[in-house]
Amino acid sequence: MNSTDTQENKFLGKVYLLGAGPGDPGLMTLKGKGLLECADVVIYDALVSPAILAMINPQAEQINAGKRMGRHSLLQEDTTKLLIEKAQDHAIVVRLKGGDPFIFGRGGEEMAELVEAGIPVEVVPGITSGIAAPAYAGIPLTHRLYSSSVTFVTGHESAGKYRPTVNWSAIAHGSETIVIYMGIHNLPYIVEQLTTAGLSVDTPIALVRWGTRPDQEELIGKMGTIVEQVENTGFGAPAIAVIGSVVNLHSILSGCRPQ
Ligand SMILES: C[S@@+](CC[C@H](N)C(=O)[O-])C[C@H]1O[C@@H](n2cnc3c(N)ncnc32)[C@H](O)[C@@H]1O
């Protein structure tokens, strides 16, 4: 008996790390939809939209592993344990994550733990919010006249979630468009870091909240004004921040939002 035989005996099923996309159910991949329709178990995160959850096989066991700032339904290690347990006696176990599992979604860590435990696992990419939310706000991240480079960065690094810590000075000079995930809580710090590093206070910035969902909201400003605008409006997470002159296209393109 080789190691593959042992694995097959131990686990009936396979885990699919599935990207749910940013919220609009029309942005779920065909492969992902098929998996949700025939899943036996679905373990999902907090940012997965109700419209996506509605696609799940009604017979499937559904478990909310949702994590939002400071409120953990399931610890990461418990989630992995649960996936291992479920794969022992269910054929299709879906780990459903907002956006793309490998973009600030801990998908890489979860997949490595499953591989280490000998569980068959596959990743099914999703559309990340850092691309889709700006697109639905009429902001193309690149444009031949305004930007030929994009950086995707987490704004949550100061809480120790990601390492190494972000080099904001390098980012200020490194690309023409900057897309920040989880940046709302640390926005004053991020703005200060980027402007101290030389990014002009007149650089346009857009915040897009609940992007691609029916309740999508946008706040458009400049680096020098955005913190005050957030304070005055109470604009909150979850949102994507886009910085760079591509934001100016919002005034021309935002009327063409997909329906
Ligand atoms: C833990 S990260 C997960 C990112 C996800 N894996 C992705 O690819 O979109 C959570 C952050 O993603 C962003 N986010 C997720 N969904 C969003 C949406 N529909 N609109 C705006 N931002 C969103 C927010 O910055 C939020 O704080």
Side-chain angles (χ1 to χ4, degrees):
M1 182 185 287
N2 62 30
S3 63
T4 313
D5 295 332
T6 316
Q7 214 169 279
E8 278 170 4
N9 289 341
K10 202 165 160 202
F11 300 109
L12 172 74
K14 181 167 181 179
V15 175
Y16 294 87
L17 280 181
L18 171 59
D24 180 346
L27 296 180
M28 166 59 83
T29 61
L30 288 176
K31 190 168 182 176
K33 183 170 180 281
L35 281 167
L36 290 180
E37 285 168 354
C38 62
D40 298 303
V41 181
V42 179
I43 302 177
Y44 62 92
D45 278 348
L47 286 181
V48 176
S49 72
I52 298 286
L53 295 178
M55 289 179 184
I56 298 173
N57 167 17
Q59 313 302 325
E61 183 183 359
Q62 298 184 31
I63 301 166
N64 182 354
K67 321 186 255 300
R68 296 296 306 278
M69 292 269 305
R71 281 173 280 141
H72 289 257
S73 300
L74 270 185
L75 292 173
Q76 187 60 48
E77 63 200 60
D78 295 335
T79 305
T80 306
K81 269 192 212 148
L82 193 61
L83 286 167
I84 294 171
E85 201 183 292
K86 295 297 176 190
Q88 279 164 358
D89 46 18
H90 295 86
I92 301 179
V93 179
V94 173
R95 176 71 177 106
L96 186 60
K97 288 172 166 288
D100 178 83
F102 280 0
I103 299 286
F104 303 122
R106 298 195 182 193
E109 295 157 58
E110 258 173 47
M111 195 165 184
E113 284 161 3
L114 293 169
V115 167
E116 200 179 325
I119 312 256
V121 54
E122 185 179 323
V123 64
V124 181
I127 297 184
T128 186
S129 56
I131 292 175
Y136 272 46
I139 302 170
L141 299 182
T142 68
H143 187 289
R144 283 197 301 163
L145 295 179
Y146 308 112
S147 172
S148 33
S149 52
V150 188
T151 296
F152 294 95
V153 59
T154 173
H156 196 35
E157 45 91 29
S158 61
K161 198 170 176 188
Y162 282 89
R163 57 170 295 279
T165 49
V166 172
N167 183 341
W168 290 106
S169 173
I171 285 176
H173 300 286
S175 71
E176 289 159 297
T177 305
I178 304 168
V179 177
I180 305 172
Y181 292 71
M182 297 171 277
I184 300 300
H185 295 276
N186 282 334
L187 197 64
Y189 169 80
I190 294 167
V191 166
E192 193 219 304
Q193 292 289 309
L194 291 172
T195 50
T196 304
L199 201 68
S200 165
V201 289
D202 291 324
T203 310
I205 175 169
L207 306 181
V208 187
R209 179 174 200 252
W210 290 127
T212 82
R213 302 190 186 203
D215 49 353
Q216 174 174 314
E217 284 179 274
E218 294 135 36
L219 189 64
I220 311 292
K222 306 262 185 211
M223 287 297 275
T225 61
I226 196 72
V227 171
E228 199 181 336
Q229 286 174 264
V230 167
E231 279 165 14
N232 291 343
T233 56
F235 196 93
I240 287 290
V242 188
I243 299 170
S245 52
V246 287
V247 170
N248 289 331
L249 292 161
H250 170 269
S251 61
I252 305 168
L253 304 180
S254 62
C256 311
R257 183 188 158 161
Q259 298 302 314

